[in-house]
Amino acid sequence: DTAVSQTPKYLVTQMGNDKSIKCEQNLGHDTMYWYKQDSKKFLKIMFSYNNKELIINETVPNRFSPKSPDKAHLNLHINSLELGDSAVYFCASSQYPSGPTGGIQYFGAGTRLSVL
Amino acid sequence: DQQVKQNSPSLSVQEGRISILNCDYTNSMFDYFLWYKKYPAEGPTFLISISSIKDKNEDGRFTVFLNKSAKHLSLHIVPSQPGDSAVYFCAATVGNYQLIWGAGTKLIIKP
């Protein structure tokens, strides 16, 4: 039973379209994250929610909007997709963001987004 | 501005020998350092962490060493096994919630 699952795994779409990526965790964690892994393989935090409240909102185009209907779900909606949005997007969750081990995050398998 | 740097994009080690992965950082306020392992088409998985007040943490074949004066940490894997072939990410936390990541080092274990 997958702890952090995100769908779809692959997403191929045209420029200008709107798309969503869904993420669900069954670990009972309070905090969820969205990361973007760019072409240089850096993992960059985009957003973080704690108990449905936005706590991290990095410099991300406002075409990206996270939605957390409950603490087990954090979806990512992207409007007017651009070529530069092509990347792998990872969802993650954690229970103790500043606990004794430093806030271990558990990741989904990633969604590879290709914008044509 | 890269606060966490992994200067070796790849490393090749013979099976059974020691693998040493290095990480440098610039922010002296980091309070925890974590290592993650990533296989292709999977998300990163947590491996081992160390608090900034410690200089060593060991878990089975994995040991992380922290040198605060040099702002350097390293991950030692002994002995290296074929299943250890993966990309290893160094990450650090400052305050709550946020992990700052290095670019990763691809470890290849040769049989």
Side-chain angles (χ1 to χ4, degrees):
Chain A
D1 193 20
T2 306
V4 181
S5 59
Q6 49 183 113
T7 54
K9 195 168 175 66
Y10 300 97
L11 185 53
V12 182
T13 188
Q14 299 286 330
M15 261 196 318
N17 283 350
D18 303 339
K19 290 292 178 187
S20 292
I21 307 172
K22 295 186 175 182
C23 180
E24 176 182 4
Q25 55 94 4
N26 62 8
L27 298 167
H29 289 166
D30 294 326
T31 310
M32 295 185 72
Y33 312 79
W34 276 110
Y35 285 89
K36 178 180 180 181
Q37 186 177 32
D38 61 22
S39 56
K40 293 182 180 176
K41 306 300 182 187
F42 280 100
L43 276 160
K44 293 182 180 176
I45 184 77
M46 299 174 70
F47 303 103
S48 178
Y49 271 74
N50 184 46
N51 278 323
K52 301 195 296 173
E53 181 183 342
L54 183 65
I55 54 170
I56 295 175
N57 186 0
E58 289 295 302
T59 307
V60 173
N62 56 17
R63 299 181 294 104
F64 290 79
S65 53
K67 292 261 179 6
S68 182
D70 54 64
K71 72 175 192 177
H73 294 85
L74 180 62
N75 303 323
L76 184 65
H77 189 75
I78 316 169
N79 288 331
S80 304
L81 277 154
E82 300 177 357
L83 293 175
D85 298 331
S86 295
V88 182
Y89 292 84
F90 287 100
C91 175
S93 72
S94 69
Q95 184 170 10
Y96 300 115
S98 59
T101 50
I104 299 169
Q105 295 179 14
Y106 297 81
F107 284 77
T111 296
R112 183 173 293 276
L113 172 64
S114 298
V115 182
L116 306 176
Chain B
D1 176 30
Q2 274 181 261
Q3 295 186 67
V4 177
K5 299 179 188 179
Q6 294 176 258
N7 292 319
S8 299
S10 66
L11 175 67
S12 188
V13 174
Q14 204 72 36
E15 181 180 356
R17 306 295 288 267
I18 183 170
S19 295
I20 300 176
L21 297 116
N22 294 304
C23 179
D24 297 297
Y25 63 94
T26 57
N27 189 342
S28 57
M29 300 300 291
F30 285 141
D31 45 15
Y32 283 95
F33 301 89
L34 299 87
W35 284 95
Y36 280 78
K37 177 179 176 177
K38 185 183 180 303
Y39 292 120
E42 294 184 13
T45 54
F46 171 74
L47 197 54
I48 191 169
S49 66
I50 188 167
S51 164
S52 61
I53 62 172
K54 304 241 172 118
D55 54 22
K56 179 181 173 182
N57 188 26
E58 195 171 348
D59 183 2
R61 296 186 299 116
F62 302 92
T63 303
V64 57
F65 296 92
L66 176 62
N67 182 335
K68 284 189 73 176
S69 60
K71 294 194 176 70
H72 177 83
L73 66 155
S74 59
L75 174 68
H76 293 212
I77 307 173
V78 183
S80 300
Q81 298 174 353
D84 296 331
S85 294
V87 176
Y88 288 79
F89 288 96
C90 172
T93 62
V94 52
N96 292 337
Y97 307 114
Q98 194 160 351
L99 278 172
I100 310 296
W101 296 78
T105 296
K106 183 175 184 178
L107 177 63
I108 301 161
I109 305 301
K110 299 179 292 186

